[in-house]
Amino acid sequence: MNRARLALASAVAAALLVTSGAVAQADPEAVERARQELASIQQQASAIDQEIIEASERAQDAEATLKHLSADLAAQEGKVATLTSELGDVATLQMHTDSISLTAQLLTSGSSDSFLSGLATMQSELNRANAGIQQLQLDQARLTTLREDAAAAEATLRAERDKAVALAEEFDAKEAEAERVYERLSEEERQRLAAIEAERQRIADEQQRQAEQQQREAEQREREAQAGSTSRSRDTASAQPSASATEAAKKDEPAPAAESGGSDRAQRAVQAALAQVGKRYVWGTSGPNTFDCSGLTSYAYRQVGINLTRSSRAQWSSVGRKVSKSELRPGDLVFYYSPVSHVGLYIGNGKIVDAANPRSGIRVTSLNSMPFTGARRVVG
């Protein structure tokens, strides 16, 4: 799969080294079939990868729940044991007999004073025991509930871990399948495949650069129009009383620093992600030594004090605000496939940094190296 991905990401210059005779020998139909198969396998692998991330996240949640419940369970067991001991023999007797039998025992006492004293003592002890028994019953019921909850959390933890392991095996199978597709191609067909993909990315990258340039020009025209409007307002205001001039000056105050600060944070998030290039991809991890796709994006923004939700699907549905492809700026989250199953970080000039897969690791690649779905701006 490593060679397959390297071939799909090859530069146009490398593809042009192929002689015209060698390319001509490639079977166009075989190359196209391979291209479609590899694209399909990559999308399937990406979806499986996302399921691994979500299963791992659920396992982590279940593990945290189990840890919390275990602590509560131990405390409750200690509480029940202490209360049972404090109730003593009277509570035990009360739990196994009834008030009639206890009264019969007192009636056999030798004197009225002994009877009355014993009766008062018995009543006091029974009142205390009854209250204690009621509390003990409540505590035992909570103990039973905690045990059931802990057992359920442990079962969920095992199930999610097993699911993640099974999905990881499925992911590896998809990688092996892609490798087999690539292996059946001749060297000429592999080079042809690389040339086709490189040309596709070149065209898409050029279109992206043009769209971004048009967007920047449109924004510049808008700023100039706003500046002209502000200038005309000042000219008009100069003829007004000083109070009006003061109000106009207030309207011309600079924008709050938060917006430029947000842009700066996005740039620093990009630098944090780029610093990880070359490190390994490992599903279910978010740094500092290994990452999965959404683990890298959440790590990068965590370095600038912003906590993102963990999965790419959740980031797509809830983080920041949507922006169009032509509006992309460094630091924007970029998403791929439908439904979304991969995320990277836009770094500018038609490039992204992402945690690709176990074979490619953390890399810089084209924005258009995968089917683009959309983007979201976290700050700025």
Side-chain angles (χ1 to χ4, degrees):
M1 184 59 180
N2 187 36
R3 284 181 294 170
R5 294 186 186 278
L6 288 173
L8 290 174
S10 295
V12 178
L16 293 177
L17 294 176
V18 181
T19 65
S20 59
V23 173
Q25 294 174 19
D27 181 351
E29 292 184 0
V31 172
E32 179 58 21
R33 282 196 303 271
R35 188 191 67 78
Q36 292 179 4
E37 286 183 67
L38 287 169
S40 175
I41 292 169
Q42 185 174 358
Q43 181 171 357
Q44 292 174 53
S46 181
I48 294 168
D49 171 64
Q50 182 61 35
E51 291 181 41
I52 293 173
I53 293 170
E54 293 177 351
S56 300
E57 188 174 21
R58 289 192 298 269
Q60 291 173 357
D61 291 343
E63 186 173 18
T65 299
L66 180 59
K67 183 178 180 180
H68 178 73
L69 286 171
S70 296
D72 286 352
L73 185 58
Q76 190 68 13
E77 286 174 339
K79 185 177 180 181
V80 168
T82 300
L83 186 55
T84 300
S85 175
E86 288 176 350
L87 287 174
D89 294 338
V90 174
T92 303
L93 183 62
Q94 174 69 359
M95 293 176 70
H96 292 88
T97 62
D98 54 41
S99 60
I100 295 176
S101 61
L102 288 172
T103 303
Q105 292 177 37
L106 288 174
L107 289 173
T108 61
S109 60
S111 68
S112 60
D113 289 342
S114 297
F115 172 79
L116 293 174
S117 176
L119 184 61
T121 301
M122 182 191 74
Q123 187 62 49
S124 176
E125 288 298 314
L126 288 179
N127 289 341
R128 184 177 70 87
N130 284 333
I133 291 168
Q134 290 176 359
Q135 184 60 50
L136 179 60
Q137 290 172 335
L138 291 173
D139 288 342
Q140 286 176 327
R142 173 165 167 73
L143 182 59
T144 299
T145 300
L146 284 171
R147 284 171 175 162
E148 292 172 350
D149 290 346
E154 187 174 5
T156 299
L157 175 59
R158 286 196 302 269
E160 295 298 344
R161 281 178 173 171
D162 290 346
K163 183 175 182 179
V165 170
L167 286 167
E169 293 173 353
E170 188 177 352
F171 183 89
D172 289 341
K174 286 295 176 185
E175 293 277 306
E177 183 181 352
E179 183 69 25
R180 288 192 297 272
V181 170
Y182 189 68
E183 285 292 340
R184 74 170 183 246
L185 298 174
S186 67
E187 184 59 31
E188 290 81 6
E189 288 167 341
R190 294 172 189 172
Q191 292 171 339
R192 177 65 175 170
L193 180 64
I196 291 171
E197 178 61 19
E199 178 63 9
R200 184 194 69 78
Q201 289 190 23
R202 185 194 68 78
I203 293 172
D205 289 348
E206 180 59 29
Q207 291 173 340
Q208 177 63 23
R209 283 191 289 271
Q210 291 176 1
E212 290 181 4
Q213 179 60 32
Q214 291 171 356
Q215 179 67 26
R216 286 193 292 268
E217 291 172 356
E219 291 174 352
Q220 179 62 29
R221 287 194 296 271
E222 183 177 354
R223 285 193 294 269
E224 290 173 353
Q226 290 175 346
S229 176
T230 301
S231 177
R232 287 192 297 272
S233 296
R234 278 201 293 263
D235 290 343
T236 301
S238 63
Q240 302 298 319
S242 59
S244 299
T246 301
E247 291 301 316
K250 287 181 179 179
K251 292 180 182 179
D252 198 36
E253 288 178 355
E259 187 151 340
S260 60
S263 177
D264 176 65
R265 294 169 85 184
Q267 291 281 2
R268 287 188 285 125
V270 167
Q271 294 305 314
L274 288 172
Q276 313 313 313
V277 170
K279 291 185 178 180
R280 292 190 306 123
Y281 174 104
V282 176
W283 55 261
T285 61
S286 57
N289 299 315
T290 62
F291 304 84
D292 57 37
C293 69
S294 54
L296 177 65
T297 53
S298 60
Y299 171 86
Y301 270 103
R302 196 161 61 244
Q303 305 316 298
V304 296
I306 298 174
N307 291 319
L308 303 185
T309 186
R310 182 62 179 83
S311 73
S312 61
R313 290 171 182 167
Q315 290 178 6
W316 168 243
S317 64
S318 64
V319 170
R321 62 181 178 88
K322 287 186 179 180
V323 292
S324 69
K325 199 174 184 182
S326 64
E327 295 175 309
L328 283 175
R329 295 176 184 171
D332 289 345
L333 300 177
V334 285
F335 299 88
Y336 297 91
Y337 303 113
S338 181
V340 165
S341 59
H342 187 71
V343 62
L345 202 63
Y346 189 62
I347 64 175
N349 297 317
K351 301 294 182 183
I352 68 167
V353 56
D354 72 337
N357 52 68
R359 309 302 176 89
S360 300
I362 317 306
R363 64 179 183 176
V364 171
T365 189
S366 168
L367 169 68
N368 302 292
S369 59
M370 296 162 285
F372 178 87
T373 297
R376 297 192 74 95
R377 182 157 299 152
V378 181
V379 289

PDB file of all heavy atoms in Angstrom, residues 201-219:
ATOM      1  N   GLN A 201      -4.063  16.252  -9.973  1.00  0.00           N
ATOM      2  CA  GLN A 201      -3.790  17.121  -8.833  1.00  0.00           C
ATOM      3  C   GLN A 201      -3.261  18.483  -9.296  1.00  0.00           C
ATOM      4  O   GLN A 201      -3.589  19.517  -8.715  1.00  0.00           O
ATOM      5  CB  GLN A 201      -2.797  16.457  -7.887  1.00  0.00           C
ATOM      6  CG  GLN A 201      -3.375  15.288  -7.128  1.00  0.00           C
ATOM      7  CD  GLN A 201      -2.449  14.818  -6.022  1.00  0.00           C
ATOM      8  OE1 GLN A 201      -1.605  15.559  -5.537  1.00  0.00           O
ATOM      9  NE2 GLN A 201      -2.603  13.566  -5.616  1.00  0.00           N
ATOM     10  N   ARG A 202      -2.432  18.484 -10.355  1.00  0.00           N
ATOM     11  CA  ARG A 202      -1.884  19.752 -10.843  1.00  0.00           C
ATOM     12  C   ARG A 202      -3.011  20.682 -11.295  1.00  0.00           C
ATOM     13  O   ARG A 202      -3.025  21.871 -10.964  1.00  0.00           O
ATOM     14  CB  ARG A 202      -0.915  19.506 -12.003  1.00  0.00           C
ATOM     15  CG  ARG A 202      -0.209  20.786 -12.491  1.00  0.00           C
ATOM     16  CD  ARG A 202       0.470  20.567 -13.818  1.00  0.00           C
ATOM     17  NE  ARG A 202      -0.498  20.346 -14.897  1.00  0.00           N
ATOM     18  CZ  ARG A 202      -1.195  21.328 -15.474  1.00  0.00           C
ATOM     19  NH1 ARG A 202      -1.060  22.587 -15.069  1.00  0.00           N
ATOM     20  NH2 ARG A 202      -2.050  21.055 -16.441  1.00  0.00           N
ATOM     21  N   ILE A 203      -3.948  20.135 -12.064  1.00  0.00           N
ATOM     22  CA  ILE A 203      -5.063  20.938 -12.553  1.00  0.00           C
ATOM     23  C   ILE A 203      -5.917  21.447 -11.389  1.00  0.00           C
ATOM     24  O   ILE A 203      -6.297  22.615 -11.331  1.00  0.00           O
ATOM     25  CB  ILE A 203      -5.921  20.117 -13.535  1.00  0.00           C
ATOM     26  CG1 ILE A 203      -5.120  19.815 -14.803  1.00  0.00           C
ATOM     27  CG2 ILE A 203      -7.211  20.860 -13.878  1.00  0.00           C
ATOM     28  CD1 ILE A 203      -5.806  18.842 -15.750  1.00  0.00           C
ATOM     29  N   ALA A 204      -6.212  20.544 -10.443  1.00  0.00           N
ATOM     30  CA  ALA A 204      -7.029  20.927  -9.292  1.00  0.00           C
ATOM     31  C   ALA A 204      -6.327  21.978  -8.439  1.00  0.00           C
ATOM     32  O   ALA A 204      -6.961  22.926  -7.956  1.00  0.00           O
ATOM     33  CB  ALA A 204      -7.359  19.699  -8.451  1.00  0.00           C
ATOM     34  N   ASP A 205      -5.007  21.828  -8.253  1.00  0.00           N
ATOM     35  CA  ASP A 205      -4.251  22.798  -7.459  1.00  0.00           C
ATOM     36  C   ASP A 205      -4.244  24.170  -8.138  1.00  0.00           C
ATOM     37  O   ASP A 205      -4.352  25.204  -7.474  1.00  0.00           O
ATOM     38  CB  ASP A 205      -2.817  22.312  -7.249  1.00  0.00           C
ATOM     39  CG  ASP A 205      -2.736  21.124  -6.308  1.00  0.00           C
ATOM     40  OD1 ASP A 205      -3.754  20.819  -5.653  1.00  0.00           O
ATOM     41  OD2 ASP A 205      -1.673  20.484  -6.244  1.00  0.00           O
ATOM     42  N   GLU A 206      -4.112  24.171  -9.457  1.00  0.00           N
ATOM     43  CA  GLU A 206      -4.112  25.432 -10.184  1.00  0.00           C
ATOM     44  C   GLU A 206      -5.474  26.108 -10.078  1.00  0.00           C
ATOM     45  O   GLU A 206      -5.566  27.328  -9.884  1.00  0.00           O
ATOM     46  CB  GLU A 206      -3.756  25.189 -11.657  1.00  0.00           C
ATOM     47  CG  GLU A 206      -3.738  26.446 -12.512  1.00  0.00           C
ATOM     48  CD  GLU A 206      -2.740  27.488 -12.015  1.00  0.00           C
ATOM     49  OE1 GLU A 206      -1.717  27.095 -11.414  1.00  0.00           O
ATOM     50  OE2 GLU A 206      -3.001  28.699 -12.223  1.00  0.00           O
ATOM     51  N   GLN A 207      -6.521  25.326 -10.185  1.00  0.00           N
ATOM     52  CA  GLN A 207      -7.872  25.881 -10.022  1.00  0.00           C
ATOM     53  C   GLN A 207      -8.055  26.449  -8.618  1.00  0.00           C
ATOM     54  O   GLN A 207      -8.684  27.503  -8.448  1.00  0.00           O
ATOM     55  CB  GLN A 207      -8.912  24.800 -10.302  1.00  0.00           C
ATOM     56  CG  GLN A 207      -8.982  24.364 -11.751  1.00  0.00           C
ATOM     57  CD  GLN A 207      -9.909  23.184 -11.968  1.00  0.00           C
ATOM     58  OE1 GLN A 207     -10.230  22.441 -11.026  1.00  0.00           O
ATOM     59  NE2 GLN A 207     -10.348  22.976 -13.208  1.00  0.00           N
ATOM     60  N   GLN A 208      -7.509  25.769  -7.613  1.00  0.00           N
ATOM     61  CA  GLN A 208      -7.609  26.255  -6.244  1.00  0.00           C
ATOM     62  C   GLN A 208      -6.859  27.563  -6.076  1.00  0.00           C
ATOM     63  O   GLN A 208      -7.369  28.506  -5.441  1.00  0.00           O
ATOM     64  CB  GLN A 208      -7.045  25.204  -5.272  1.00  0.00           C
ATOM     65  CG  GLN A 208      -7.028  25.622  -3.809  1.00  0.00           C
ATOM     66  CD  GLN A 208      -8.418  25.875  -3.255  1.00  0.00           C
ATOM     67  OE1 GLN A 208      -9.394  25.356  -3.782  1.00  0.00           O
ATOM     68  NE2 GLN A 208      -8.519  26.670  -2.212  1.00  0.00           N
ATOM     69  N   ARG A 209      -5.666  27.668  -6.643  1.00  0.00           N
ATOM     70  CA  ARG A 209      -4.897  28.918  -6.538  1.00  0.00           C
ATOM     71  C   ARG A 209      -5.644  30.067  -7.204  1.00  0.00           C
ATOM     72  O   ARG A 209      -5.674  31.185  -6.684  1.00  0.00           O
ATOM     73  CB  ARG A 209      -3.513  28.732  -7.163  1.00  0.00           C
ATOM     74  CG  ARG A 209      -2.534  27.965  -6.277  1.00  0.00           C
ATOM     75  CD  ARG A 209      -1.125  28.051  -6.821  1.00  0.00           C
ATOM     76  NE  ARG A 209      -0.987  27.270  -8.050  1.00  0.00           N
ATOM     77  CZ  ARG A 209      -0.664  25.992  -8.088  1.00  0.00           C
ATOM     78  NH1 ARG A 209      -0.447  25.326  -6.964  1.00  0.00           N
ATOM     79  NH2 ARG A 209      -0.525  25.359  -9.251  1.00  0.00           N
ATOM     80  N   GLN A 210      -6.251  29.807  -8.353  1.00  0.00           N
ATOM     81  CA  GLN A 210      -7.008  30.847  -9.033  1.00  0.00           C
ATOM     82  C   GLN A 210      -8.221  31.276  -8.216  1.00  0.00           C
ATOM     83  O   GLN A 210      -8.522  32.474  -8.115  1.00  0.00           O
ATOM     84  CB  GLN A 210      -7.454  30.341 -10.409  1.00  0.00           C
ATOM     85  CG  GLN A 210      -6.313  30.150 -11.398  1.00  0.00           C
ATOM     86  CD  GLN A 210      -6.781  29.549 -12.711  1.00  0.00           C
ATOM     87  OE1 GLN A 210      -7.971  29.278 -12.898  1.00  0.00           O
ATOM     88  NE2 GLN A 210      -5.856  29.329 -13.635  1.00  0.00           N
ATOM     89  N   ALA A 211      -8.909  30.298  -7.623  1.00  0.00           N
ATOM     90  CA  ALA A 211     -10.087  30.616  -6.807  1.00  0.00           C
ATOM     91  C   ALA A 211      -9.695  31.440  -5.587  1.00  0.00           C
ATOM     92  O   ALA A 211     -10.389  32.405  -5.224  1.00  0.00           O
ATOM     93  CB  ALA A 211     -10.786  29.331  -6.372  1.00  0.00           C
ATOM     94  N   GLU A 212      -8.573  31.085  -4.944  1.00  0.00           N
ATOM     95  CA  GLU A 212      -8.116  31.840  -3.777  1.00  0.00           C
ATOM     96  C   GLU A 212      -7.706  33.257  -4.176  1.00  0.00           C
ATOM     97  O   GLU A 212      -7.969  34.206  -3.436  1.00  0.00           O
ATOM     98  CB  GLU A 212      -6.953  31.110  -3.104  1.00  0.00           C
ATOM     99  CG  GLU A 212      -7.369  29.813  -2.399  1.00  0.00           C
ATOM    100  CD  GLU A 212      -6.209  29.127  -1.729  1.00  0.00           C
ATOM    101  OE1 GLU A 212      -5.085  29.687  -1.731  1.00  0.00           O
ATOM    102  OE2 GLU A 212      -6.409  28.022  -1.196  1.00  0.00           O
ATOM    103  N   GLN A 213      -7.063  33.388  -5.343  1.00  0.00           N
ATOM    104  CA  GLN A 213      -6.662  34.715  -5.802  1.00  0.00           C
ATOM    105  C   GLN A 213      -7.886  35.573  -6.070  1.00  0.00           C
ATOM    106  O   GLN A 213      -7.930  36.756  -5.705  1.00  0.00           O
ATOM    107  CB  GLN A 213      -5.815  34.595  -7.075  1.00  0.00           C
ATOM    108  CG  GLN A 213      -5.363  35.925  -7.656  1.00  0.00           C
ATOM    109  CD  GLN A 213      -4.499  36.729  -6.688  1.00  0.00           C
ATOM    110  OE1 GLN A 213      -3.760  36.147  -5.887  1.00  0.00           O
ATOM    111  NE2 GLN A 213      -4.593  38.050  -6.731  1.00  0.00           N
ATOM    112  N   GLN A 214      -8.896  34.998  -6.698  1.00  0.00           N
ATOM    113  CA  GLN A 214     -10.138  35.734  -6.947  1.00  0.00           C
ATOM    114  C   GLN A 214     -10.812  36.133  -5.640  1.00  0.00           C
ATOM    115  O   GLN A 214     -11.347  37.239  -5.519  1.00  0.00           O
ATOM    116  CB  GLN A 214     -11.077  34.882  -7.799  1.00  0.00           C
ATOM    117  CG  GLN A 214     -10.598  34.679  -9.224  1.00  0.00           C
ATOM    118  CD  GLN A 214     -11.432  33.665  -9.986  1.00  0.00           C
ATOM    119  OE1 GLN A 214     -12.340  33.051  -9.424  1.00  0.00           O
ATOM    120  NE2 GLN A 214     -11.117  33.458 -11.262  1.00  0.00           N
ATOM    121  N   GLN A 215     -10.771  35.246  -4.654  1.00  0.00           N
ATOM    122  CA  GLN A 215     -11.354  35.549  -3.349  1.00  0.00           C
ATOM    123  C   GLN A 215     -10.616  36.697  -2.681  1.00  0.00           C
ATOM    124  O   GLN A 215     -11.230  37.615  -2.124  1.00  0.00           O
ATOM    125  CB  GLN A 215     -11.324  34.305  -2.457  1.00  0.00           C
ATOM    126  CG  GLN A 215     -11.894  34.501  -1.066  1.00  0.00           C
ATOM    127  CD  GLN A 215     -13.386  34.761  -1.089  1.00  0.00           C
ATOM    128  OE1 GLN A 215     -14.080  34.348  -2.013  1.00  0.00           O
ATOM    129  NE2 GLN A 215     -13.900  35.432  -0.074  1.00  0.00           N
ATOM    130  N   ARG A 216      -9.273  36.679  -2.751  1.00  0.00           N
ATOM    131  CA  ARG A 216      -8.479  37.763  -2.154  1.00  0.00           C
ATOM    132  C   ARG A 216      -8.766  39.090  -2.848  1.00  0.00           C
ATOM    133  O   ARG A 216      -8.864  40.138  -2.200  1.00  0.00           O
ATOM    134  CB  ARG A 216      -6.991  37.424  -2.236  1.00  0.00           C
ATOM    135  CG  ARG A 216      -6.537  36.360  -1.252  1.00  0.00           C
ATOM    136  CD  ARG A 216      -5.022  36.297  -1.160  1.00  0.00           C
ATOM    137  NE  ARG A 216      -4.453  35.805  -2.412  1.00  0.00           N
ATOM    138  CZ  ARG A 216      -4.191  34.525  -2.673  1.00  0.00           C
ATOM    139  NH1 ARG A 216      -4.481  33.597  -1.767  1.00  0.00           N
ATOM    140  NH2 ARG A 216      -3.655  34.148  -3.816  1.00  0.00           N
ATOM    141  N   GLU A 217      -8.895  39.058  -4.172  1.00  0.00           N
ATOM    142  CA  GLU A 217      -9.186  40.282  -4.912  1.00  0.00           C
ATOM    143  C   GLU A 217     -10.565  40.827  -4.542  1.00  0.00           C
ATOM    144  O   GLU A 217     -10.744  42.043  -4.407  1.00  0.00           O
ATOM    145  CB  GLU A 217      -9.093  40.009  -6.417  1.00  0.00           C
ATOM    146  CG  GLU A 217      -7.671  39.745  -6.896  1.00  0.00           C
ATOM    147  CD  GLU A 217      -7.624  39.280  -8.348  1.00  0.00           C
ATOM    148  OE1 GLU A 217      -8.715  39.090  -8.946  1.00  0.00           O
ATOM    149  OE2 GLU A 217      -6.507  39.112  -8.876  1.00  0.00           O
ATOM    150  N   ALA A 218     -11.523  39.917  -4.375  1.00  0.00           N
ATOM    151  CA  ALA A 218     -12.871  40.351  -3.983  1.00  0.00           C
ATOM    152  C   ALA A 218     -12.854  40.977  -2.596  1.00  0.00           C
ATOM    153  O   ALA A 218     -13.501  42.004  -2.345  1.00  0.00           O
ATOM    154  CB  ALA A 218     -13.834  39.170  -4.025  1.00  0.00           C
ATOM    155  N   GLU A 219     -12.096  40.376  -1.679  1.00  0.00           N
ATOM    156  CA  GLU A 219     -11.992  40.921  -0.325  1.00  0.00           C
ATOM    157  C   GLU A 219     -11.299  42.282  -0.348  1.00  0.00           C
ATOM    158  O   GLU A 219     -11.674  43.182   0.399  1.00  0.00           O
ATOM    159  CB  GLU A 219     -11.229  39.942   0.573  1.00  0.00           C
ATOM    160  CG  GLU A 219     -12.006  38.652   0.872  1.00  0.00           C
ATOM    161  CD  GLU A 219     -11.176  37.639   1.635  1.00  0.00           C
ATOM    162  OE1 GLU A 219      -9.953  37.872   1.809  1.00  0.00           O
ATOM    163  OE2 GLU A 219     -11.742  36.607   2.060  1.00  0.00           O
TER     164      GLU A 219
END
